[in-house]
Amino acid sequence: MKKLFSLLFVALLAMSAWADTVVTVDFNAQGWESNTLVTDLKIDGVNLTFDRGEGSTKPTYFTNTSGGALRLYGGNTMTVSAPQNLKKIDFTFLSGEDSNNILSDVGNYNKANKQWTIGSSDPSTEVVFTIEGNSGHRRIEKLVITMEDAEPVTELVEPVFTPNGGEFSGSLAVTVSCATDNASIYVYKIIDGEIDYSTGQYFFESGEFYVTETMTYAAYAEKGDDYTDFVYATFTKVEPTVAAPVFTPASCNFTDRLDVTLTCVTPNAKIYYSLDNELWNEYVDPIPVTDDITIWAKAKVGDVESEVVSATYTKLPATTVDVTFDGAVDKGDGDNTRHHFTVVKDPVTMYVGDGLVHNDGHYRIYGPNDSSAFVFTSAGAPIIKIEFNGMSGYTASNLSKAEGNEGTWTTGGNNGTWEGYATEVAFNVNKQCRFTTIIVTVAGQVEPEYELGDVNHDHAVNIADVTALIDYLLNDASLAPAEANVNGDENVNISDVTTLIDMLLQH
């Protein structure tokens, strides 16, 4: 019996030693304000990096009446890198999102279970997730990342500096570690080309020290009578710099109004803006733009300032585009049972959290319940009006504006109208509604901006633009776009061809 208990005790120790490591990433716990662009995040050794992809909207953290979530749009990617092999990742989503599938470069994502897993025969410490499609989005509240505990290393290996040298400003925290269990680490400075043993620092398995000046460090690990060769890392102190702010949107034309946001990738930087390049104000909220204007911006950390950058916005004559959702034609996914679905009519997406498209040719939206989200999103210019054509007994008066939504909401008879200026408009469904058609009016689309020399307007300056410029000269130079006046003399002639070729040769 005593032997049996001993075996059970050993088994329990083994189980605890090989327990999985779990890291929870709660995007609502990061202290971000709504409309924060997100590029990277590091929690408990797990690194997450985000990218907009080709032609998509940047990954952004938003809050609304349903809560907060990181919004990843169609084409966005999220890379999860871990110190140990990844085992599974559980996703928690916020309601009111689209149904885009999530793809992964390794392992498999199960849409029904909202979980990513990987087989034991194909281990990986990194996975890249891609939001499928060119529109729509997923709203991620939380990730629970499960990793396998790393197998203990008994063989003595060399220590590792993290970071392994490089440039820094101010002071830099450096970690030195050895993967070998119970290893001792010794770190020394290199003075006048020699190891200065009087500067030694001792660490057990891992430790942290701070670098405040340009210096090369040497380190070795020791266990028992064994020791490794020295490893080296050089850290070079440079004058601190601050990145210039980024305008979103960049310089462009617009028809009604814009909300211009400013961001800076330098941590803890304060952003300042000016409307005359003389009087500066600290940037706090998006800057409303309703007329032609140039905005200057700079960022500052302490006494260090970035370069001054600017963006110019030009107001165009107002135009509108009407998008009609017709229950007799636009049937979402075609399923006439109660469920959530989307109907996409470029550039507008209509999301119904709980509803159906009846075979009589009308939309039914049910509520109130936890799934009764009813949201309109524009992938391009803002929505300025939504007109609902309802049915008797199930009128538009059963809707109300969701908390936090701007604009005005009026109802009369069976119908209702929202008017405002927003890329997303959400409604509360207080009681079942039925609509035959819903007309969404979108502000005029922004005219594209082209780079000087982009004669053929393909958003690239290359030899094809030289050919296009020559064609204009041979036929009618007066028809050439402004981008053809490469040398800036207000005339399009052979000298612009020469200047354009010189530009290409220099690049």
Side-chain angles (χ1 to χ4, degrees):
M1 182 63 72
K2 185 180 292 185
K3 182 176 182 181
L4 176 61
F5 278 118
S6 297
L7 290 173
L8 287 173
F9 181 70
V10 171
L12 287 171
L13 286 176
M15 289 173 64
S16 64
W18 292 100
D20 292 331
T21 300
V22 178
V23 173
T24 298
V25 180
D26 186 348
F27 294 113
N28 288 319
Q30 305 310 310
W32 296 327
E33 296 181 355
S34 186
N35 202 33
T36 296
L37 301 179
V38 180
T39 57
D40 56 76
L41 180 64
K42 183 175 183 179
I43 294 181
D44 294 338
V46 175
N47 291 306
L48 293 92
T49 56
F50 306 91
D51 189 81
R52 70 185 299 175
E54 187 66 30
S56 185
T57 302
K58 294 179 180 179
T60 309
Y61 175 80
F62 280 103
T63 58
N64 56 30
T65 54
S66 302
L70 177 64
R71 191 173 300 184
L72 297 183
Y73 297 87
N76 286 178
T77 62
M78 175 177 69
T79 303
V80 179
S81 302
Q84 292 105 253
N85 284 331
L86 292 163
K87 190 173 181 179
K88 66 176 180 177
I89 301 177
D90 294 288
F91 289 68
T92 300
F93 298 100
L94 184 68
S95 61
E97 61 175 348
D98 294 322
S99 56
N100 302 54
N101 193 23
I102 298 179
L103 308 177
S104 60
D105 65 334
V106 294
N108 295 285
Y109 176 75
N110 186 304
K111 189 173 183 179
N113 295 336
K114 303 176 184 177
Q115 184 183 80
W116 171 87
T117 55
I118 192 167
S120 58
S121 61
D122 188 26
S124 179
T125 59
E126 182 175 287
V127 56
V128 180
F129 295 102
T130 302
I131 307 303
E132 189 175 28
N134 297 318
S135 61
H137 58 270
R138 301 305 302 267
R139 301 178 179 182
I140 306 175
E141 286 187 289
K142 184 188 298 182
L143 299 174
V144 178
I145 302 169
T146 302
M147 301 170 283
E148 298 176 352
D149 266 356
E151 183 178 355
V153 177
T154 56
E155 179 184 356
L156 184 60
V157 298
E158 293 178 340
V160 175
F161 289 99
T162 304
N164 190 24
E167 295 182 344
F168 72 99
S169 61
S171 64
L172 176 69
V174 178
T175 300
V176 61
S177 60
C178 181
T180 304
D181 274 1
N182 299 316
S184 299
I185 307 171
Y186 299 89
V187 181
Y188 305 94
K189 294 180 180 180
I190 303 294
I191 306 295
D192 296 329
E194 300 290 337
I195 297 175
D196 187 339
Y197 289 96
S198 68
T199 62
Q201 298 183 71
Y202 166 78
F203 302 101
F204 180 70
E205 290 190 354
S206 69
E208 184 179 75
F209 61 94
Y210 285 84
V211 181
T212 59
E213 59 185 338
T214 297
M215 185 63 62
T216 297
Y217 288 84
Y220 75 92
E222 180 181 87
K223 182 177 181 181
D225 296 330
D226 294 331
Y227 56 88
T228 68
D229 292 333
F230 276 103
V231 294
Y232 301 89
T234 299
F235 301 92
T236 304
K237 188 170 185 176
V238 297
E239 288 300 319
T241 59
V242 179
V246 175
F247 289 87
T248 302
S251 296
C252 64
N253 300 326
F254 67 101
T255 56
D256 188 9
R257 62 166 279 168
L258 291 173
D259 286 324
V260 177
T261 60
L262 293 170
T263 55
C264 180
V265 297
T266 302
N268 303 316
K270 289 186 177 181
I271 302 174
Y272 298 86
Y273 74 95
S274 173
L275 304 182
D276 58 8
N277 203 17
E278 293 183 3
L279 179 63
W280 293 89
N281 302 286
E282 184 174 353
Y283 171 80
V284 179
D285 297 314
I287 304 167
V289 174
T290 57
D291 290 298
D292 294 356
I293 197 171
T294 295
I295 302 174
W296 288 265
K298 62 183 178 182
K300 188 175 181 180
V301 176
D303 295 328
V304 181
E305 291 188 357
S306 73
E307 66 173 316
V308 176
V309 292
S310 66
T312 299
Y313 303 95
T314 304
K315 189 170 185 177
L316 298 176
T319 59
T320 59
V321 177
D322 285 344
V323 178
T324 301
F325 295 88
D326 188 336
V329 178
D330 308 307
K331 297 182 179 295
D333 55 19
D335 187 350
N336 64 359
T337 59
R338 284 180 62 167
H339 67 303
H340 68 84
F341 65 91
T342 58
V343 184
V344 180
K345 300 197 74 174
D346 191 43
V348 179
T349 298
M350 178 176 71
Y351 172 80
V352 178
D354 180 15
L356 58 87
V357 184
H358 196 268
N359 53 19
D360 286 344
H362 64 267
Y363 299 106
R364 291 188 182 182
I365 298 92
Y366 294 93
N369 55 62
D370 292 340
S371 302
S372 60
F374 191 29
V375 184
F376 296 83
T377 306
S378 171
I383 298 169
I384 59 175
K385 182 189 290 186
I386 306 177
E387 300 168 272
F388 297 87
N389 297 312
M391 301 175 65
S392 178
Y394 304 92
T395 67
S397 62
N398 292 336
L399 293 180
S400 62
K401 282 192 307 174
E403 184 180 349
N405 279 250
E406 302 295 333
T408 59
W409 171 242
T410 56
T411 60
N414 298 333
N415 304 328
T417 301
W418 174 91
E419 291 185 279
Y421 194 89
T423 55
E424 181 174 291
V425 184
F427 294 90
N428 294 322
V429 185
N430 306 312
K431 190 176 178 182
Q432 184 187 150
C433 303
R434 299 183 183 182
F435 301 115
T436 54
T437 59
I438 303 170
I439 303 172
V440 181
T441 302
V442 180
Q445 303 301 297
V446 174
E447 294 294 324
E449 287 283 323
Y450 298 103
E451 183 180 357
L452 184 64
D454 185 10
V455 182
N456 61 3
H457 286 181
D458 66 351
H459 297 286
V461 178
N462 49 39
I463 193 63
D465 296 295
V466 176
T467 303
L469 180 51
I470 293 173
D471 286 341
Y472 278 117
L473 295 178
L474 292 175
N475 293 283
D476 188 349
S478 66
L479 299 177
E483 291 75 23
N485 182 26
V486 185
N487 63 5
D489 65 357
E490 306 302 328
N491 296 306
V492 177
N493 50 41
I494 193 64
S495 65
D496 293 295
V497 176
T498 305
T499 303
L500 181 55
I501 292 173
D502 286 342
M503 286 174 53
L504 297 177
L505 292 176
Q506 291 174 9
H507 288 79

